[in-house]
Amino acid sequence: MTKIYLDNAATTRPDAGCLEKAKIYLGDKFYNPSSMYGEGYDIRREIDKSRENILSCVARAEEFELIFTSCGTEADNQALFCGAKRGNVVTTIGEHPAVYNAALELKQRGVDVRIAPLLKDGTVNVDNLLSLVDEKTSIVSCMHVNNETGALNDIDGISALVKDKNPAALFHSDGVQAFGKIPYRLGKCVDMYTISAHKIGALKGTGALIKRKKISIKPYIYGGGQEKGMRSGTENVFGIKMFEFAALKRYSEISENYKRATDMFELLCSLLDPSFFKIIGERDMERRSPYVLCVSAPGVRGETILHEVSDKGLLIGSGSACSSNEKKRYSRVILAQGVSEAEADGILRISLSPETTSEEIEKCAKILNETVKFRLEMMK
């Protein structure tokens, strides 16, 4: 059975062409970048080239620098734990667990953590967030694109308002679901930005924290002093080069991919039976990503649908893959949008990639419509 994979917000299929190019770093170019001989030095230069190329996709090298990490979660944790130097921390209830749970840990350590609510469309309530910022705020973290709903926050506008209120406050955004998908370059008030390789056709095990050069944060991992002392540990050269190749490919096609994803998103919305499915959030593309569609099938558990459609060859999600181990029945992100528990119980996340075809979308809708219809009829 040919599988239809539409859970790209969880991870993406590694790009075959990029993988072929990166293989040399598993074979002939296997050297440790910290070695003193020429071969090691050459690999270090290769990493610096990757750093420069990935950074150039969203920022100017004159203003920003890039720290390679093991994943987006580590980058988020570094931003929160190393950026929260004093006073209070402000974030939102819609954050990825890598930010939200880090903030809760800071609270356990005695830090004053303030959490802003969401609007019905899934974006942050900006007025409320700003009311939480004061002269003692050390860092504000607000994600760019929500991994569960696709809601798109205007981080340039929000960060500017934060800086107006407290110029000393750092502004961080988790950009994992935006990088390589949403046409965007870092604005003048964003200080740190998290990205991840495996969301754009590269491999698991590599991420990065982009930070403004003028700001000072402490290292999160100590050891041999790699990444200019900001992230010790022998670099994952293969993963970093794969990240570079995938990022350059995605950004060379980002406008075309965005248009295609928008077309596929609209097609899927038109094909899902409205008597079975409710779309969560807005369909306005200025306030959402076309790569993530969150729907609810009230009356049927999302987990039940997920398993049944999987047996039919359709692989989709029911929320954040990173939250699947928490064993919580209802998503805090979904409930924060004012969705009822009955609707939250039937949540499904369908996430697209640039390779998603209209044929796959049509098959997806057919399987979902038939599965939910059958389940509802069985419950009568």
Side-chain angles (χ1 to χ4, degrees):
M1 179 189 301
T2 302
K3 298 288 186 179
I4 300 172
Y5 182 73
L6 294 177
D7 195 22
N8 291 280
T11 196
T12 54
R13 185 188 305 278
D15 183 276
C18 296
L19 190 60
E20 188 61 33
K21 286 175 64 178
K23 279 182 180 178
I24 192 172
Y25 298 95
L26 287 177
D28 293 344
K29 296 187 177 184
F30 66 90
Y31 306 101
N32 190 319
S34 297
S35 299
M36 298 300 292
Y37 39 79
E39 289 82 356
Y41 179 72
D42 288 343
I43 293 299
R44 192 186 318 160
R45 290 177 61 190
E46 290 272 13
I47 290 177
D48 287 339
K49 179 182 177 183
S50 298
R51 190 189 322 278
E52 177 184 330
N53 282 337
I54 296 171
L55 182 61
S56 71
C57 294
V58 291
R60 289 165 49 87
E62 295 85 356
E63 300 175 21
F64 290 89
E65 57 189 347
L66 184 148
I67 304 163
F68 284 116
T69 64
S70 66
C71 57
T73 293
E74 183 190 327
D76 281 340
N77 272 240
Q78 182 167 12
L80 266 290
F81 287 115
C82 303
K85 299 176 182 178
R86 65 189 187 287
N88 60 72
V89 170
V90 177
T91 188
T92 88
I93 198 169
E95 297 302 301
H96 186 280
V99 169
Y100 188 78
N101 289 342
L104 294 184
E105 175 59 25
L106 285 171
K107 187 175 182 178
Q108 287 288 101
R109 299 179 186 184
V111 176
D112 178 10
V113 174
R114 304 172 179 183
I115 300 176
L118 304 182
L119 300 175
K120 288 186 177 181
D121 65 2
T123 61
V124 64
N125 185 321
V126 178
D127 290 340
N128 186 279
L129 182 142
L130 290 173
S131 74
L132 303 177
V133 176
D134 59 27
E135 71 281 357
K136 294 184 178 180
T137 301
S138 60
I139 187 170
V140 176
S141 185
C142 176
M143 75 190 317
H144 198 174
V145 171
N146 187 274
N147 55 298
E148 293 187 48
T149 67
L152 173 66
N153 285 307
D154 174 15
I155 59 171
D156 283 349
I158 297 169
S159 60
L161 292 170
V162 167
K163 296 287 187 178
D164 284 344
K165 195 163 185 184
N166 180 352
L170 297 178
F171 189 90
H172 165 258
S173 182
D174 181 328
V176 167
Q177 295 295 341
F179 183 78
K181 301 175 183 180
I182 307 296
Y184 171 76
R185 292 187 67 80
L186 292 178
K188 63 180 181 179
C189 293
V190 176
D191 297 304
M192 293 184 283
Y193 195 70
T194 295
I195 60 177
S196 179
H198 74 106
K199 309 295 188 178
I200 60 165
L203 304 175
K204 305 170 192 69
T206 311
L209 179 65
I210 297 173
K211 65 174 283 291
R212 196 171 289 276
K213 286 182 175 179
K214 69 179 183 181
I215 71 166
S216 175
I217 62 170
K218 291 183 178 181
Y220 185 57
I221 295 177
Y222 292 83
Q226 289 87 350
E227 295 298 294
K228 297 181 180 180
M230 290 304 300
R231 200 282 180 186
S232 292
T234 303
E235 297 91 341
N236 176 4
V237 183
F238 174 55
I240 287 171
K241 296 306 290 186
M242 183 71 177
F243 195 3
E244 174 195 2
F245 299 147
L248 291 177
K249 180 175 180 180
R250 283 293 182 96
Y251 275 90
S252 71
E253 305 167 345
I254 193 163
S255 296
E256 300 92 322
N257 289 343
Y258 185 87
K259 172 65 166 61
R260 180 180 179 81
T262 300
D263 291 343
M264 294 301 102
F265 178 93
E266 293 293 351
L267 177 61
L268 181 55
C269 289
S270 70
L271 293 175
L272 288 175
D273 192 325
S275 62
F276 302 145
F277 292 100
K278 175 185 177 181
I279 295 173
I280 304 299
E282 298 293 330
R283 286 176 59 177
D284 179 0
M285 288 305 161
E286 292 187 358
R287 298 178 70 84
R288 65 161 304 107
S289 165
Y291 287 92
V292 180
L293 176 63
C294 181
V295 299
S296 172
V300 186
R301 289 201 67 186
E303 186 177 349
T304 299
I305 301 170
L306 185 149
H307 291 306
E308 290 194 10
V309 300
S310 175
D311 291 339
K312 298 174 183 178
L314 174 61
L315 305 181
I316 58 175
S318 60
S320 172
C322 293
S323 299
S324 62
N325 295 322
E326 293 185 7
K327 305 301 182 185
K328 294 180 179 178
R329 181 160 182 172
Y330 306 118
S331 162
R332 63 174 159 78
V333 176
I334 300 300
L335 293 179
Q337 293 182 222
V339 176
S340 68
E341 289 189 354
E343 290 175 338
D345 206 25
I347 287 294
L348 297 169
R349 181 186 67 183
I350 306 158
S351 46
L352 316 180
S353 82
E355 291 74 41
T356 302
T357 66
S358 57
E359 181 182 10
E360 288 177 322
I361 293 295
E362 290 167 0
K363 289 181 178 177
C364 167
K366 184 174 186 294
I367 291 171
L368 284 171
N369 287 336
E370 291 176 349
T371 301
V372 174
K373 180 180 180 181
F374 174 77
R375 271 283 145 197
L376 291 173
E377 289 178 346
M378 287 285 291
M379 295 168 64
K380 289 181 180 179

